[in-house]
Amino acid sequence: MSTSKTPSERRTHLVRLAGGLFAEQGFRATTVRQIADAAGILSGSLYHHFDSKESIGDEILSAFLEDVLAGYRAAVAESDDPRAAIERIVRSSTVTLDRHRAALTMLQRDWNYFSGQPRFAYLRTAMKEIEQTWIDLLERGRETGVFRADLDARLTYRLLRDILWLPTSWASSKSWTTDQIVDGLLRLLFDGIKSA
């Protein structure tokens, strides 16, 4: 039985390996040589699969955002209730963020670099769609009386987005599971901390 990888398996392995290095060291600080060394290949061999380090980063980030947006679009399409759609977005986002930890860390560490590169212009477009989805749902909930009349949709989105990104940094915590963190966030969001 052969243990050699097919070209697509090798490519997937290289992307995963590079993503880990990008997340650990930062995208700009990671060199093609370091990726090749970690993979046990010559630097030139990496160019058989990718034309540049940016191509690898592009593959990681575009897959992440496509996954995030698919979850958002499905949540909006499948529910007219803003609260139900937001709950679904929170749950799908948490699963997606867990699956794409390297991409999320890359965005957090190197957003200024990526957002300034024409090749990564789609990042701003995707982030605007994500923001607008939240704002639309929050405003619809406010207008229909599901949420408070004084709700600031933009501020609420920003706070929730930042909170949603936190559980990925809690990966080493043994205190709570991802589901417990999500359930806690949803209880806090929808029920608050006041006693009845």
Side-chain angles (χ1 to χ4, degrees):
M1 174 191 264
S2 173
T3 59
S4 65
K5 295 180 179 179
T6 66
S8 63
E9 289 172 329
R10 170 58 87 177
R11 183 181 176 89
T12 300
H13 172 71
L14 291 170
V15 168
R16 191 174 300 118
L17 190 68
L21 290 171
F22 295 153
E24 182 182 321
Q25 301 174 179
F27 181 81
R28 289 175 292 171
T30 304
T31 66
V32 169
R33 178 180 292 280
Q34 288 171 323
I35 297 167
D37 287 349
I41 61 175
L42 298 173
S43 296
S45 299
L46 196 62
Y47 291 109
H48 175 70
H49 300 280
F50 303 97
D51 63 6
S52 65
K53 179 174 80 168
E54 284 71 19
S55 291
I56 303 171
D58 187 24
E59 192 161 318
I60 293 166
L61 295 174
S62 63
F64 166 57
L65 289 170
E66 286 169 13
D67 206 2
V68 169
L69 288 171
Y72 274 55
R73 292 169 184 153
V76 170
E78 294 175 14
S79 181
D80 290 332
D81 175 16
R83 178 179 169 152
I86 287 174
E87 182 170 340
R88 180 153 179 191
I89 284 173
V90 168
R91 292 190 185 283
S92 74
S93 292
T94 304
V95 171
T96 302
L97 295 174
D98 188 53
R99 197 169 38 243
H100 295 278
R101 286 177 193 229
L104 178 58
T105 304
M106 287 168 62
L107 282 179
Q108 289 173 325
R109 288 185 70 157
D110 289 305
W111 171 258
N112 289 337
Y113 170 77
F114 291 123
S115 65
Q117 301 298 313
R119 177 180 197 138
F120 297 99
Y122 64 87
L123 294 174
R124 286 194 180 277
T125 303
M127 294 306 284
K128 283 180 185 172
E129 182 178 345
I130 289 167
E131 178 178 11
Q132 196 58 53
T133 300
W134 273 98
I135 289 170
D136 289 348
L137 289 169
L138 291 165
E139 288 178 347
R140 188 165 16 126
R142 183 182 62 209
E143 291 161 8
T144 59
V146 173
F147 303 139
R148 297 167 48 137
D150 64 346
L151 180 75
D152 182 330
R154 231 170 254 295
L155 176 61
T156 302
Y157 154 71
R158 190 60 193 266
L159 292 168
L160 290 173
R161 185 202 70 187
D162 289 352
I163 290 170
L164 273 174
W165 288 21
L166 284 178
T168 62
S169 66
W170 296 4
S172 61
S173 171
K174 303 292 185 218
S175 301
W176 303 281
T177 66
T178 300
D179 285 340
Q180 288 172 320
I181 294 168
V182 171
D183 289 342
L185 171 61
L186 290 170
R187 275 194 311 276
L188 181 63
L189 173 62
F190 294 131
D191 302 328
I193 61 173
K194 292 192 314 186
S195 63

